[in-house]
Amino acid sequence: MSSLPESSLLPLTRDFYQRDTVAVANDLLGCWLVREVDGALMGARIVETEAYCGAHDSACHAHRGLTTRTAAMFGAPGHAYIYLVYGMHWLFNIVTEPEGSPCAVLVRAVEPVLNEQAMRERRLTPGKQLSNGPGKLTRALDVDKALYGHDLTRAERLWICAGSHDIPIASGPRVGIDYAEPHDRDAPWRFWLEGNPWVSKAR
DNA sequence: CAATTGATCCAC
DNA sequence: TGGATCAATTGG
């Protein structure tokens, strides 16, 4: 396990996010997700993402248009799009592409690096893996609707730093989108670091 | 395999 | 305004 590069707790800037969603989903792998709660830092490496590519992507929530829930996706890139699924799990997404183009990257899994102890304390089910899934990582990092629309380009509460990896990127269809049209269901827009044990097991 | 769980969305 | 749905997780 590598440590957080101390040179940069600097957030990625808005131009990083204001790009093609699939490119951002790839480039986020290896980056650091940093969470600050009451002055204490937690840090985790992003190892799995999915791209949700706007109004024409029938798997993307924005396919149904602008609603209260999806408003953040229609806004400026580099902000958090967070929502509740199955009445239980908060899922953390990052808005991409220029304002008005409702796209986002779902962060599906992270590898704990900094202050793993604090993350472990957030989990209420003992003995379970810490954060190898989209609902688990939000629990571990205390991410919920309070951070809806949060600007990730400032070093406050929640942000993302440049990272690196020397592992091949694998790709495949996105998880849990059986409702989408076949063309979108089959698109290989899930990305992960090959062989990383923190990658989710859901299929 | 099914239960869980509640906000959201849309047809009525 | 009611009923189906859901970017998941857990324990059988």
Side-chain angles (χ1 to χ4, degrees):
Chain A
M1 185 185 303
S2 31
S3 59
L4 204 63
E6 72 178 57
S7 63
S8 77
L9 283 174
L10 287 178
L12 291 171
T13 54
R14 203 163 316 282
D15 55 303
F16 175 88
Y17 302 104
Q18 190 161 332
R19 295 185 297 137
D20 174 78
T21 306
V22 167
V24 175
N26 274 273
D27 294 348
L28 278 171
L29 294 175
C31 290
W32 305 104
L33 184 56
V34 182
R35 177 76 166 113
E36 180 258 321
V37 179
D38 298 330
L41 287 183
M42 297 178 275
R45 183 172 177 243
I46 296 173
V47 300
E48 181 181 354
T49 59
E50 282 177 359
Y52 286 87
C53 302
H56 300 294
D57 175 4
S58 64
C60 180
H61 291 163
H63 184 60
R64 309 251 207 178
L66 171 62
T67 65
T68 304
R69 180 178 67 150
T70 62
M73 261 201 291
F74 287 79
H79 292 252
Y81 167 50
I82 295 168
Y83 65 94
L84 187 68
V85 276
Y86 298 110
M88 277 176 274
H89 307 293
W90 295 102
L91 267 57
F92 170 62
N93 301 254
I94 303 162
V95 178
T96 59
E97 311 232 6
E99 181 161 356
S101 177
C103 308
V105 172
L106 169 67
V107 178
R108 277 195 61 89
V110 298
E111 171 182 340
V113 175
L114 176 68
N115 204 359
E116 180 169 351
Q117 174 66 27
M119 294 183 223
R120 212 162 273 290
E121 287 169 2
R122 297 274 172 199
R123 284 204 57 75
L124 300 184
T125 313
K128 293 299 156 200
Q129 282 197 23
L130 186 52
S131 60
N132 62 340
K136 290 180 180 180
L137 76 90
T138 56
R139 165 56 78 87
L141 294 171
D142 198 22
V143 170
D144 62 19
K145 69 178 178 187
L147 288 163
Y148 183 92
H150 176 75
D151 187 355
L152 298 162
T153 66
R154 295 182 299 171
E156 296 175 350
R157 301 171 70 194
L158 183 67
W159 68 100
I160 297 170
C161 308
S164 64
H165 63 88
D166 52 8
I167 297 170
I169 294 175
S171 66
R174 294 168 290 179
V175 172
I177 54 158
D178 290 347
Y179 57 85
E181 293 163 18
H183 175 76
D184 297 319
R185 233 179 30 217
D186 299 339
W189 288 345
R190 171 178 175 239
F191 306 98
W192 65 94
L193 295 183
E194 199 166 273
N196 187 289
W198 294 93
V199 169
S200 72
K201 274 129 186 121
R203 290 296 175 276

